[in-house]
Amino acid sequence: MSVVIMKFGGTSIATPQLILSAAKKIAREKKEYDVVVVVSAMGQATDELVARSQEITSQPRARELDMLLTTGERISVALLSMALERLHLDAVSYTGSQVGIITDTRHTDARILEVKNYRIKEALRENKIPVVCGFQGVSTEKEITTLGRGGSDTTALALSAALNAEMCIIYTDVDGVFTEDPHQFPGVKKIRTISYEEMLELSCRGAQVLHPRACRVAARFTVPVEIRNSFNNRRGTFITDLGDIERPRPKAITHSDNLYLVTLVQVPKRPQYLSQIITELTHCGVHLKFFFHGIADAKRFDLSFITPLDERKRVKSLLTKIVKKLRVNMIKETTDICSVSVIGMGICAENDILSDIFEVLSKSKIHVEAVTTSELSINIFLRKKYLNRTIHTLLSKFHLKSAPQRSRRGR
Ligand code: ADP
Ligand code: ASP
Ligand code: MG
């Protein structure tokens, strides 16, 4: 029988009742397939565990944090297995380590090196349903690790690839992938199919519906993925390798408002300085979303970086050290910056799309700070006060939201 992986996110199993209804969905799928289940921690359990550690110390050791956070998923797998037993299905719960999800040693942000599948195949042979903890593994040093926040998606896709699964179904709290976040922008449209590349771009630029690392695994092993709502039985969004290559069009919009902009003002113009700064930042694991090298005068230049906001402390302290060494005049910083990204395969090849964007933004009196383009996206950086207006303007321009419902009064 072919294997299907079913992954349930935290909101989908937030209460015992929801765990029972997830079990019913699994029971239905089990009639046709060999099912392997991956689950997250219930509701906000992981946030609560983080908060509890903060009550003890503001800087817990990463090893101990991993040990703590992995307990959230252990509760879910045990309860879901009990729920399946109640439906007379033979289920067996496993930690990441028990099924041989081998990672590197980066605590709190580990990468999967290998999936040994120790006990999953054996359980499937016995017609059991393996219920596996998402988000965790065991390192090459035999330590318990986590894959970083949102990492259960990656577990689900890694198991799908290792088991050559027919499909990986990601159950969440929305009907699929939409043209923007449906919770923040009501009226956006559901996307029926999206390519791996577009989905990856969408998630890297802000849409958290599927973790970027999970998208990469799906694309690399061409695992068919469906994102579905766990609260209804509607068909969701399919992620496949079919793109609209010959018909470039904006497919979705996403945004990020957790950004940090920092500028080194008047860096002396020496060739090694730029590489020195970039190397120091990237070696310390800073994620550069954007950097801009502007010319101030013949001898000095300004250098601006945009990074995720949660890296602010690290970036600031690194740059402060660099500034002293390089005799830079000043650091300017702001958190009043956000990005809006228009996603679609090949959209940059269509000049009309870029000019349309600038035309509507200028009509709406929206001031753009910076722009980057790639084969898959046009990314606009702006002050936060323009964020919502920009998204609404672009959703309307590219017909990415449904027409407002007509009033039935007077009929
Ligand atoms: P889970 O707990 O199931 O992993 P997440 O919170 O990680 O769920 O992801 C689902 C959320 O992603 C949705 O509730 C929605 O608010 C958000 N989201 C952001 N952008 C999009 C989008 N383009 N389409 C669908 N959902 C999106
Ligand atoms: N429970 C973990 C988190 O909240 C992993 C996940 O939900 O994917 O980040
Ligand atoms: Mg998630």
Side-chain angles (χ1 to χ4, degrees):
M1 236 198 284
S2 349
V3 177
V4 163
I5 309 289
M6 300 173 78
K7 181 257 169 178
F8 292 86
T11 36
S12 306
I13 49 156
T15 63
Q17 280 66 35
L18 288 173
I19 289 182
L20 282 164
S21 66
K24 285 186 192 147
K25 281 191 189 296
I26 296 165
R28 250 175 274 141
E29 213 68 39
K30 178 67 186 162
K31 288 186 185 144
E32 276 186 66
Y33 298 99
D34 275 341
V35 177
V36 177
V37 183
V38 173
V39 280
S40 298
M42 292 169 71
Q44 307 303 315
T46 310
D47 288 336
E48 286 157 17
L49 290 169
V50 172
R52 215 179 268 191
S53 73
Q54 293 292 311
E55 285 171 25
I56 306 280
T57 166
S58 61
Q59 282 180 318
R61 271 175 50 212
R63 179 191 184 279
E64 304 311 328
L65 197 57
D66 275 352
M67 193 61 95
L68 178 69
L69 298 194
T70 49
T71 62
E73 272 69 14
R74 283 177 83 132
I75 295 172
S76 307
V77 289
L79 292 178
L80 184 52
S81 297
M82 291 175 200
L84 288 164
E85 295 286 342
R86 198 172 133 174
L87 300 179
H88 311 292
L89 289 162
D90 208 354
V92 54
S93 59
Y94 295 117
T95 63
S97 143
Q98 281 178 309
V99 297
I101 295 182
I102 313 296
T103 73
D104 63 17
T105 53
R106 263 183 278 185
H107 278 293
T108 74
D109 193 23
R111 298 290 179 276
I112 298 177
L113 301 175
E114 195 185 348
V115 178
K116 292 196 187 281
N117 270 331
Y118 289 139
R119 302 171 69 178
I120 296 185
K121 285 192 175 156
E122 187 188 312
L124 290 178
R125 269 197 302 274
E126 292 167 6
N127 202 26
K128 291 181 180 165
I129 302 176
V131 183
V132 183
C133 290
F135 171 61
Q136 56 179 263
V138 60
S139 77
T140 45
E141 300 286 318
K142 299 189 174 59
E143 296 286 3
I144 298 298
T145 49
T146 62
L147 308 178
R149 297 303 305 270
S152 298
D153 292 342
T154 310
T155 306
L157 265 307
L159 286 180
S160 304
L163 292 163
N164 200 13
E166 175 146 335
M167 170 76 95
C168 177
I169 312 175
I170 304 284
Y171 285 92
T172 186
D173 60 352
V174 288
D175 278 2
V177 181
F178 284 75
T179 52
E180 236 296 0
D181 183 345
H183 286 138
Q184 294 185 57
F185 298 93
V188 285
K189 293 181 182 169
K190 188 171 101 184
I191 299 170
R192 241 186 297 164
T193 57
I194 187 164
S195 67
Y196 292 117
E197 294 89 342
E198 288 168 324
M199 190 63 226
L200 177 59
E201 193 74 9
L202 198 59
S203 57
C204 285
R205 303 282 172 190
Q208 81 201 62
V209 62
L210 185 65
H211 197 284
R213 278 169 56 191
C215 290
R216 279 191 202 105
V217 179
R220 188 157 161 225
F221 295 92
T222 42
V223 181
V225 181
E226 185 183 357
I227 313 270
R228 291 184 79 145
N229 197 330
S230 57
F231 303 113
N232 60 45
N233 292 318
R234 284 181 211 129
R235 287 252 72 109
T237 297
F238 289 91
I239 308 173
T240 65
D241 52 1
L242 298 169
D244 298 320
I245 298 164
E246 290 302 316
R247 200 162 66 91
R249 64 189 167 97
K251 196 148 193 182
I253 289 176
T254 189
H255 66 277
S256 174
D257 53 4
N258 290 317
L259 298 178
Y260 170 58
L261 166 65
V262 58
T263 303
L264 300 184
V265 183
Q266 299 208 330
V267 181
K269 217 174 171 188
R270 308 234 167 84
Q272 73 277 21
Y273 277 12
L274 183 58
S275 85
Q276 222 174 309
I277 298 169
I278 304 284
T279 308
E280 288 214 32
L281 289 173
T282 50
H283 277 182
C284 291
V286 171
H287 296 94
L288 295 178
K289 296 262 174 199
F290 172 85
F291 82 87
F292 176 72
H293 168 197
I295 297 171
D297 61 39
K299 290 195 179 146
R300 288 174 179 266
F301 62 93
D302 290 352
L303 197 52
S304 297
F305 303 98
I306 296 180
T307 72
L309 183 57
D310 59 10
E311 293 175 12
R312 177 184 184 172
K313 241 177 154 177
R314 194 150 32 116
V315 175
K316 180 92 190 278
S317 85
L318 273 169
L319 288 180
T320 310
K321 279 188 217 145
I322 295 173
V323 158
K324 271 198 198 142
K325 251 199 305 194
L326 305 190
R327 291 204 225 114
V328 170
N329 284 357
M330 190 177 34
I331 295 184
K332 281 201 291 197
E333 53 166 357
T334 180
T335 56
D336 181 17
I337 189 82
C338 62
S339 67
V340 175
S341 302
V342 181
I343 312 290
M345 178 65 92
I347 56 170
C348 246
E350 296 286 301
N351 281 339
D352 288 355
I353 297 173
L354 197 57
S355 58
D356 282 352
I357 291 177
F358 278 90
E359 203 178 301
V360 288
L361 294 187
S362 102
K363 268 193 197 142
S364 302
K365 302 199 171 3
I366 291 165
H367 180 73
V368 172
E369 299 291 325
V371 179
T372 63
T373 59
S374 76
E375 181 62 14
L376 280 153
S377 64
I378 297 170
N379 309 292
I380 305 156
F381 294 91
L382 329 113
R383 299 285 162 198
K384 283 182 177 163
K385 66 177 178 185
Y386 297 123
L387 181 66
N388 278 341
R389 196 157 21 120
T390 302
I391 294 172
H392 283 295
T393 304
L394 295 175
L395 286 171
S396 301
K397 173 70 199 168
F398 296 117
H399 313 290
L400 297 175
K401 58 182 174 184
S402 313
Q405 301 265 308
R406 282 224 199 105
S407 161
R408 289 172 177 264
R409 254 189 305 158
R411 278 198 178 173

